[in-house]
Amino acid sequence: LCSFIRSPKDFPKLKNDTFLRAARGEETEHTPVWCMRQAGRYLPEFRETRAAQDFFATCRSPKLCCELTLQPLRRFPLDAAIIFSDILVVPQALGMEVVMVPGKGPTFTEPLKEVEDLLKLRQKVDVTAELGYVFQAITLTRHSLEGRVPLIGFSGAPWTLMSYMIEGGGSTTMSKAKSWLYRHPEASHRLLRLLTDVVTDYLVGQVAAGAQALQLFESHAGHLGPEQFQDFALPYIRDIARAVKSKLKEEALPLVPMIIFAKDAHYALRDLAHAGYEVVGLDWTIRPQEARAQTGKDVTLQGNLDPCALYAPKEKIGELVKKMLEGFGTQRYIANLGHGLYPDMNPEHVGAFVEAVHAHSRHINKH
């Protein structure tokens, strides 16, 4: 399937557009469902495909990204595919070296320590030259999907990328990155602006390559309080939505729905609902009714089952899904987990989750 690159023209006709209709706020027969990290280590076939390769080498192989993206769709009747890639390809495009260290995760060989280090970053990034492999993976996957479901492209949001670039990897406190916001606010804004420009071009390039929706991951929103989020995250989240849409129009590209997922930022849900995105993704720490009340009627919500619920017996997963659907309602809603799947999860339980969403939402819609 994933053997050759074709042009981003003549894509196969889409057969299941439930996810796109829900994202745009149109009526759907069932609630669409997909999972963050659905292409992941919980699948034995994923581990097998990945075994021989370095992680970022895999990200740079359009053929492997295509194969990994399609794997979960061979098992489960998901309503969307999300391209296999990583948010840290953006810092790589800026000239930083990131390696995947077994047991530790992504690690920057030389994180940003001083303001002067910003000068080492590429100030103008040609996304096609630096990230063309992602665009090729998207085009190839879109053809290989044969119109089965829409393909989602994504990027990390500026604050989340900045935090990795300064911390040099994961962190429980983000104290190094946050110290920049207090000590070097101007330099922080300079970096966030640079990241915003690159992310904008990157997302537009993904649509040109064939992505039918886009998700922006502000995974480290929870490390900021409301004020810092207001200063250092929200303005750039807004700018990206605005700039992407205006560039898509300029380049006569499809205006695809955009999703903002700011983990643990329930203090900002009202603002996020008005940030220019069609869909607001939610983690598991907020009640559906509360999220609806805060975001209003004009955005679609996505989420928010606790990923650990998939460790429960299958019947229990069904009950939790039913309760979640009753809380959100079946319309203007995309079912998902409140974060990504974990590597030790049972694929059968993922299947039970997907099937429960379809079955319960159809039943609620009928009655």
Side-chain angles (χ1 to χ4, degrees), residues 325-347:
L325 286 162
E326 286 163 354
F328 282 109
T330 59
Q331 301 299 320
R332 263 207 178 280
Y333 174 54
I334 297 162
N336 205 318
L337 303 172
H339 200 239
L341 287 160
Y342 301 141
D344 63 347
M345 284 177 165
N346 182 340

Side-chain angles (χ1 to χ4, degrees), residues 134-297:
V134 179
F135 303 156
Q136 288 177 350
I138 287 172
T139 302
L140 181 56
T141 307
R142 176 87 187 266
H143 280 294
S144 303
L145 276 166
E146 295 172 337
R148 196 164 3 157
V149 293
L151 179 61
I152 304 168
F154 70 90
S155 174
W159 154 249
T160 294
L161 295 172
M162 170 183 170
S163 62
Y164 273 116
M165 289 159 76
I166 294 171
E167 295 291 338
S171 156
T172 50
T173 60
M174 293 294 153
S175 58
K176 287 180 191 160
K178 284 180 73 179
S179 81
W180 272 54
L181 305 182
Y182 288 104
R183 286 163 48 224
H184 313 302
E186 272 170 50
S188 296
H189 281 300
R190 232 176 27 243
L191 175 55
L192 291 162
R193 170 57 48 210
L194 174 62
L195 286 162
T196 297
D197 295 344
V198 178
V199 167
T200 298
D201 289 346
Y202 180 43
L203 291 174
V204 171
Q206 291 186 44
V207 176
Q212 289 152 289
L214 297 169
Q215 176 153 313
L216 190 68
F217 284 88
E218 189 68 282
S219 313
H220 296 166
H223 291 282
L224 302 175
E227 279 176 29
Q228 280 193 313
F229 188 83
Q230 205 75 36
D231 286 350
F232 295 101
L234 189 63
Y236 300 102
I237 288 170
R238 280 195 190 120
D239 284 357
I240 287 168
R242 200 169 40 231
V244 166
K245 286 176 179 182
S246 103
K247 286 195 176 193
L248 291 175
K249 271 199 190 110
E250 262 167 50
E251 297 179 27
L253 289 164
L255 280 176
V256 304
M258 294 179 73
I259 307 164
I260 176 66
F261 175 62
K263 190 173 177 301
D264 297 322
H266 15 82
Y267 54 76
L269 279 184
R270 233 173 225 118
D271 289 325
L272 290 167
H274 296 103
Y277 294 76
E278 286 68 27
V279 184
V280 175
L282 303 164
D283 58 60
W284 66 90
T285 61
I286 187 159
R287 289 189 178 86
Q289 296 84 341
E290 210 174 297
R292 278 275 181 222
Q294 286 197 44
T295 52
K297 292 189 173 64

Side-chain angles (χ1 to χ4, degrees), residues 60-129:
R60 284 189 286 274
S61 160
K63 208 168 141 182
L64 287 175
C65 290
C66 173
E67 167 58 26
L68 294 169
T69 303
L70 295 179
Q71 284 175 353
L73 294 157
R74 295 189 190 120
R75 278 185 184 250
F76 316 118
L78 294 151
D79 294 289
I82 183 164
I83 194 68
F84 176 80
S85 185
D86 194 85
I87 64 171
L88 298 182
V89 299
V90 171
Q92 288 176 335
L94 287 164
M96 295 186 80
E97 193 188 2
V98 191
V99 293
M100 194 57 80
V101 178
K104 188 183 171 200
T107 305
F108 286 74
T109 48
E110 288 183 43
L112 303 173
K113 290 194 170 77
E114 303 303 329
V115 171
E116 298 77 62
D117 293 343
L118 294 182
L119 299 171
K120 296 179 192 166
L121 300 175
R122 277 192 193 102
Q123 302 305 308
K124 265 273 168 263
V125 175
D126 175 345
V127 291
T128 309

Side-chain angles (χ1 to χ4, degrees), residues 37-51:
R37 294 207 201 118
Q38 63 190 27
R41 286 175 293 175
Y42 72 101
L43 292 176
E45 58 269 39
F46 177 97
R47 292 196 295 272
E48 210 170 298
T49 308
R50 277 269 303 104

